[in-house]
Amino acid sequence: MRSEDLIHWCAPARTVFGCGTRADLPALLARMGHRSGVLVTDTFFTGHTPWVREYVEAANALGIRTHVYAGGEPDPTTVLCDTATAEIRDALGDERIDHVIALGGGSNIDLAKALCLTLVDGRPIREFAGALAAQPQALPLVALPTTAGTGSEATPGAILIDPDNATKVAVMDNVLRPVVALIDPEFTYTCPPRVTADAGIDALTHAVESYMTMDSAEFDRGGNPDPGYSGRSSLTMMFAREAIRLCGLYLERSYTHGDDREARIGMAYASYYAALSYGSAGLNAVHGIAYAVAGQTHKSHGSTNAVMLPYVLDAMREVRRAELIDVGRMFGLTGDDDAVLLETPRRMREVVGKLDIPNDLERFGIAREDIDRLTEDALGVARLAKAFPVADVPASYRRIVDAAWHGRLAVDA
């Protein structure tokens, strides 16, 4: 307990977790009264797994009609969302749907969240970007994540790319949190190593970043009585701590030994617990700077988080001393507290290297002359910058980016 906390915590209405639980979904939806839905996925899952066919047949046997949309793509755009909206509404005709199912990684779940808004009356997704005056009308979402990392099955937002200016558009409201989050670790068993690494380091970043983000008592909620993110609290930190512990045990194992079922299940738990933390606490500088890195390099979300994580942690040694020591000890560091405090960012850098991700910005493809622009772009993600719990955020961002380009941590000195 922390008596100063101002908790506003949201989570999926139902969590279904366990190997093989995907088979329980049709009966659950029938009991909830659903009769017609859209399943949003991509051609990999329709063409190379039995999961879509098995669900559609089982749901149909219980009187639930399902229209499958398999046009999901990595990093979905606003154009894709609007095109999918028109295509699905045309295919449905006069049929009214009462739920949307997302099967896939974070990209498919984000697209499905956006479609929960646009399928209602065909409005373009740009009309839902930014702060909304009132909670929008949305279809209920059921999320079935197939990776252990993004945590989109527990969060209030969707991120889409606006191709007109190559920026990311955030669509955010608690109405977009899934009514059912079904986490079946068996979905992740066949994830290739690169996807496993990127998803896993994303989960670790979510957990660590939300564990150390701005306190709920200080978080700027902008007067919103129903904020999507509201700072860390004893409740979010409880989930973050367990997620970090599980990543310490299973992240590297799941990458190096993809057939290790215990590690796969462990990372599924880690990912969801991290999502329950950051899905209410929010994030800050790691993601904020990583978005700018992705804008210049077009590398994956997990990798861009990974390259920044050690250097952001290094910059938080004074403001989050106890938390950094906790993280270090959960990743096996021993010795006195001062030593662990210094070593923890280096331990994170070692983890990044073991996942075969470059651990400095120069090797990641950032030119020295582009550092200033990268920093300004990162500061432009104001929602994340203002949640970074340091006294001078712009100056701190500049030091972090410079250190990350040189691959320099305090312990190296």
Side-chain angles (χ1 to χ4, degrees), residues 153-203:
E153 68 276 9
T155 65
I159 303 296
L160 304 175
I161 303 294
D162 186 344
D164 289 346
N165 51 24
T167 60
K168 293 191 174 183
V169 174
V171 180
M172 193 100 39
D173 196 278
N174 283 323
V175 74
L176 296 180
R177 293 183 192 268
V179 297
V180 178
L182 190 150
I183 298 96
D184 186 337
E186 291 179 0
F187 281 140
T188 71
Y189 286 179
T190 57
C191 275
R194 185 73 270 135
V195 175
T196 299
D198 280 357
I201 199 68
D202 197 22

Side-chain angles (χ1 to χ4, degrees), residues 26-68:
L28 174 59
L29 294 185
R31 187 181 187 279
M32 293 169 66
H34 293 299
R35 292 294 177 263
S36 178
V38 171
L39 192 156
V40 178
T41 189
D42 58 55
T43 55
F44 174 80
F45 295 110
T46 56
H48 299 280
T49 76
W51 301 329
V52 174
R53 174 183 52 79
E54 288 173 350
Y55 170 78
V56 171
E57 291 177 354
N60 186 63
L62 294 176
I64 303 174
R65 298 180 302 279
T66 306
H67 174 82
V68 177

